[in-house]
Amino acid sequence: MRAFPLHRQRKLVSGIARVLGSKQGEEATLFWRETAKSLLQRLIANGVHQAAAEDEVRALLHVVLSELETDAATARG
C-alpha cells in the first residue's frame, strides 16, 4: 500500500510554504533541508524505497515553491 503523496497533503504543503515564506536566505535553506531530511527518513522508515522517497520529497518541494510563487503574485495583486 502506497502512502498518500506528500505533495497532495494540503496541510503539509501550506504549513511548509508558510514557514518558508517567513524566512530568507540561509535560514530558509536550513529549514527546508531539515524538513526534507525528516520527511525522507520517515518515508524510508515506513518502507518506501529511497529513490521513491527522494522523488516524493522533490515533488513536495516543487509544489511548495509553486504555492510560494502564487502567494507572492497574489500579494502583489
Side-chain angles (χ1 to χ4, degrees):
M1 182 169 139
R2 183 156 157 72
F4 195 65
L6 296 176
H7 71 278
R8 307 252 341 249
Q9 297 179 30
R10 287 302 313 150
K11 286 176 113 175
L12 179 64
V13 170
S14 62
I16 293 171
R18 184 176 57 254
V19 174
L20 278 178
S22 71
K23 298 182 181 303
Q24 294 183 8
E26 188 59 34
E27 189 178 359
T29 301
L30 182 60
F31 170 77
W32 171 250
R33 284 183 184 158
E34 290 173 354
T35 300
K37 181 179 177 180
S38 174
L39 290 168
L40 188 62
Q41 289 172 341
R42 188 177 80 196
L43 288 169
I44 292 169
N46 286 323
V48 178
H49 186 271
Q50 179 150 352
E54 290 170 355
D55 288 344
E56 287 263 348
V57 173
R58 191 173 302 110
L60 173 65
L61 175 60
H62 289 294
V63 172
V64 167
L65 292 175
S66 178
E67 182 156 319
L68 286 169
E69 289 176 12
T70 299
D71 291 348
T74 301
R76 288 191 301 265

